[in-house]
Amino acid sequence: GKGVKCPFGSKWFCGGDSTTICKQEGFTNACTGTGQIGKGESCANLYKQCDCQSTYKYTCSGKGYAGGSGSACGGKYTQCKCATNYVWKDGACKPKEDYSACKIGALFYSDNTCSSNKVSGKTILGVVIYEKSASQNGWIMTHKPIATNIVWSTEFVNVPGITSTTSWSTAAKDFDSCGNTDKIRAQGNSSKYPAAWAAYNYQPSGTPTGKRWCLPAAGVINSLYNNLSTINTAISKAGGTKLVNDNEHIWSSSEYGSYRSWFFCPDIGADSGGLDYDLKNLSDDGTSSVVRPVLAF
């Protein structure tokens, strides 16, 4: 018909059966199979190619997988079945986490397992200094410092949002290691806040995917004092540096105030739970101000 346009997609036709004409143009797929959607322009609800919905994205193959769950689209699934001792978590089949052996003083490995004695062939990440419970993460600490003679900060301000208290018993209730570390980093760069940045940048080979190291909150390293002998035994087994006398001041991510921050010292007594405080810009006062980052499990 002259002057009459009949649209389908970016093409035009007049008269005849639209489905027949569309198929002649190469639009032959209804794309109604499991998970399918049309790809590109359509013609009479037909497509030249089909695609899969974005939720069909898992191939469900490899270690820990036992195939796909439900129907597939283009060989991909919306979820996978996991092999024995693996669970579906965060879009992958991951080993079941069994931390029953992760008691204080245990060695913690890159495969998320623990042992009381060193296991040949495994990568040790640190030693358990705080046990996991239903309401609290477990924590491991490196068996040696990753930075020594390091300052907490070069400026004297209260970092917004982190625990700041002059009471050691209050500081010992702070377990927000990674939250504190993030807030300190947001306050300034690595030149201004070296300790927190050193912990954050520590990513040794074998660190489990999705986990990161943090500057320990005072509550986490407070656990060192009551379990120091057990933890030192584990540190020795891991080939690390034991905490003895006054050899290390381990920076926490908890503040004593705008000028000072809490740290752990091996020879501080029970009246302060092993916690003491010092100027944030002090890197060495006859002992070593160090960073021993922690990792939650």
Side-chain angles (χ1 to χ4, degrees), residues 18 42 48 85 104 120 169 190 209 267 274:
S18 61
S42 67
K48 289 186 176 180
N85 295 323
I104 290 176
S120 177
S169 58
S190 59
T209 302
D267 68 352

Side-chain angles (χ1 to χ4, degrees), residues 10 17 20 22 49 56 63 71 73 149 166 231 244 257 265 279:
S10 61
D17 178 69
T20 300
C22 288
Q49 288 182 287
Y56 287 80
K63 185 177 181 180
S71 300
C73 178
N149 298 331
T166 58
I231 291 168
V244 293
C265 180
L279 289 171

Side-chain angles (χ1 to χ4, degrees), residues 4-6 13 23 30 62 140 163 168 175 179 185 192 200 219 234 252 268 283:
V4 178
K5 293 183 177 181
C6 308
F13 69 90
K23 287 183 177 180
I140 68 168
T163 296
W168 79 265
F175 287 84
R185 289 173 46 243
K192 288 185 177 180
Y200 175 79
S252 83
I268 297 297
S283 62

